[in-house]
Amino acid sequence: MPLDSFSIIESTLREGEQFSTAAFTTAQKQEIAGLLDDFGVEMIEMTSPCASPQSAADIRIVVDMGLKARILTHIRCNRADAHLALETGAQGIDIVIGTSPQLMQHSHGRNINQIIDLAADVLTFIREQAPDVILRFSTEDSFRSRESDLLRVYLAIADLGLVQRLGVADTVGVATPAQVSAIVHQLVRLTGLDVEFHGHNDSGCAIANACAALEAGATHIDTTILGIGERNGITPLGGLLARLYTLDRRYVTKYNLRLLPQLDQLVADRCGIAIPFSNYITGSSAFIHKAGIHAKAVLADPTTYEIIQPADFGLTREIAIGHRLTGWNAVRDRALSLGLQLDDAALKAITQTIKQQADAQPLALHEIDSLLHSAAVQL
Ligand code: HCA
Ligand code: CU
């Protein structure tokens, strides 16, 4: 069952480099790769060696780090790219070629028969040179490709017996979970090969689509830290973890979850951006409970309003108190944590004071504390 044994292909160092503000130095790539490896991702995908001389050198440098994660590189479907990829020493080579009418016309100008011939030639060349390299073949823009075209290409490639994995790419973020499920099902059933899903987030379905792919039998999911990538990016690692954790925590406990906040912060810093407030798990408000009704229930039992335990990710929850939606249970909890014994009437009176003052402007924690302290002194 793939959900029990799926692998993450972490593409922060490939798709992520295509994010508008990303430009990782060699040292930063080593830092990110090292932390991803500590986290436990199974594979790390790196920018094509054709991109620039440093890109090629960096693959070799990261390969030489001797990480547990397998290092993959990513190329277009041609012999020149394949030649450079082989020279990097990467343990896997991911090949992609567009099959949608848009990309066939404007990207490489080949028809489906020519794509199949070219792919057969390039894959055979690589396999002859490197019998042990992990080979993956993907179509680009799979979801705007004609289904009959897609199946012809995938079946022809599978028949060659040269690749371990077939990839499906929602390059423009247009796919729905049902569409992802349908194509992944077909590939698993018809080829028996490993299947990878790569999904962009233009219409907000990247995580749902990755999950649908796994439920349909996909074995590998592409992610990046914070979801960085072309345009607004792809399936974020943290978001995928949140999705799978809430299906069954055991799906993700193979990873060192407590490193997620560090990973998100590292990549945000290196890209010169903040972690979005709404980010899965590590967003600044992900574990803040505010309304009085919520605070009361969470203080009694966090599972009332939390489907993810912050402690599993090395994080803590927070109860916001100094606002007009507050309730006296939150105020009582604060008093208790300050070691102040106040009776219910006093706590309710302070709660009313907080609400009144917060109508003008929210109160800082130290202001609440001084209200509590002065009430305690009066007792
Ligand atoms: C790209 C396209 C790609 C490839 C995905 C893949 C996409 O920018 O090279 O090879 O799995 O989204 O189609 O990222
Ligand atoms: Cu992509």
Side-chain angles (χ1 to χ4, degrees):
M1 166 77 173
L3 270 162
D4 289 319
S5 60
F6 72 97
S7 295
I8 288 175
I9 298 181
E10 227 299 328
S11 190
T12 298
L13 297 181
R14 197 283 293 171
E15 176 76 48
E17 267 219 305
Q18 298 174 220
F19 180 58
S20 55
T21 65
F24 304 127
T25 64
T26 305
Q28 290 171 350
K29 289 185 192 179
Q30 290 176 286
E31 188 183 25
I32 292 168
L35 198 52
L36 285 171
D37 195 52
D38 292 342
F39 179 84
V41 300
E42 289 82 359
M43 296 181 177
I44 294 175
E45 187 178 62
M46 297 191 64
T47 295
S48 170
C50 321
S52 71
Q54 194 59 51
S55 301
D58 288 346
I59 300 171
R60 168 68 66 187
I61 289 168
V62 172
V63 168
D64 287 346
M65 288 171 73
L67 302 176
K68 290 186 295 299
R70 249 87 60 90
I71 308 301
L72 318 177
T73 189
H74 185 262
I75 56 167
R76 295 165 297 190
C77 190
N78 66 59
R79 275 198 186 220
D81 283 25
H83 190 76
L84 280 179
L86 287 165
E87 283 181 347
T88 64
Q91 289 128 351
I93 301 179
D94 292 345
I95 292 181
V96 67
I97 186 161
T99 46
S100 64
Q102 291 87 339
L103 293 185
M104 287 199 284
Q105 187 183 348
H106 298 295
S107 172
H108 52 71
R110 290 183 172 81
N111 64 31
I112 292 295
N113 287 334
Q114 291 167 324
I115 288 172
I116 292 171
D117 290 346
L118 178 67
D121 176 70
V122 174
L123 293 168
T124 306
F125 168 71
I126 296 176
R127 194 44 88 216
E128 279 167 8
Q129 306 291 312
D132 296 328
V133 81
I134 311 164
L135 259 179
R136 181 219 71 180
F137 173 86
S138 271
T139 63
E140 188 183 4
D141 206 2
S142 317
F143 292 87
R144 290 191 302 173
S145 306
R146 284 171 45 199
E147 193 179 327
S148 55
D149 286 347
L150 272 187
L151 291 180
R152 264 182 68 208
V153 172
Y154 284 126
L155 290 179
I157 300 303
D159 277 351
L160 296 172
L162 299 172
V163 305
Q164 279 89 351
R165 212 164 69 244
L166 296 173
V168 182
D170 183 17
T171 306
V172 293
V174 70
T176 65
Q179 290 168 335
V180 173
S181 185
I183 184 74
V184 170
H185 253 301
Q186 293 212 62
L187 290 187
V188 170
R189 189 173 56 85
L190 294 173
T191 72
L193 292 172
D194 282 355
V195 174
E196 168 182 346
F197 175 75
H198 174 101
H200 279 260
N201 202 33
D202 301 68
S203 59
C205 286
I207 298 171
N209 285 344
C211 187
L214 285 174
E215 287 172 333
T219 50
H220 293 70
I221 298 294
D222 290 13
T223 66
T224 60
I225 299 302
L226 298 174
I228 61 170
E230 286 282 349
R231 307 183 307 282
N232 76 337
I234 67 164
T235 308
L237 177 65
L240 182 68
L241 294 174
R243 176 63 281 171
L244 299 180
Y245 176 111
T246 51
L247 290 178
D248 187 334
R249 194 174 159 277
R250 285 171 301 181
Y251 293 151
V252 294
T253 42
K254 60 181 170 170
Y255 300 112
N256 192 353
L257 300 179
R258 288 169 159 264
L259 289 181
L260 182 71
Q262 205 181 322
L263 269 170
D264 280 0
Q265 194 60 59
L266 174 66
V267 171
D269 290 347
R270 297 297 171 257
C271 293
I273 58 169
I275 296 176
F277 80 90
S278 54
N279 200 46
Y280 314 93
I281 302 167
T282 61
S284 56
S285 64
F287 297 108
I288 297 182
H289 303 275
K290 183 170 173 185
I293 297 170
H294 286 237
K296 178 186 177 189
V298 166
L299 287 167
D301 177 356
T303 64
T304 49
Y305 285 104
E306 273 176 7
I307 50 167
I308 294 170
Q309 289 182 39
D312 282 339
F313 294 85
L315 299 168
T316 47
R317 80 180 54 88
E318 185 186 323
I319 307 287
I321 310 172
H323 53 85
R324 62 181 162 206
L325 309 181
T326 203
W328 77 281
N329 287 280
V331 177
R332 180 177 57 188
D333 182 67
R334 182 66 191 164
L336 288 176
S337 68
L338 294 173
L340 301 175
Q341 295 290 337
L342 289 166
D343 62 22
D344 291 359
L347 288 166
K348 286 179 180 169
I350 294 169
T351 306
Q352 288 313 312
T353 307
I354 294 171
K355 283 172 173 285
Q356 250 169 26
Q357 294 188 12
D359 260 342
Q361 168 182 328
L363 283 77
L365 198 55
H366 71 87
E367 295 175 289
I368 294 160
D369 290 354
S370 54
L371 283 173
L372 290 166
H373 277 295
S374 36
V377 169
Q378 283 163 25
L379 266 186

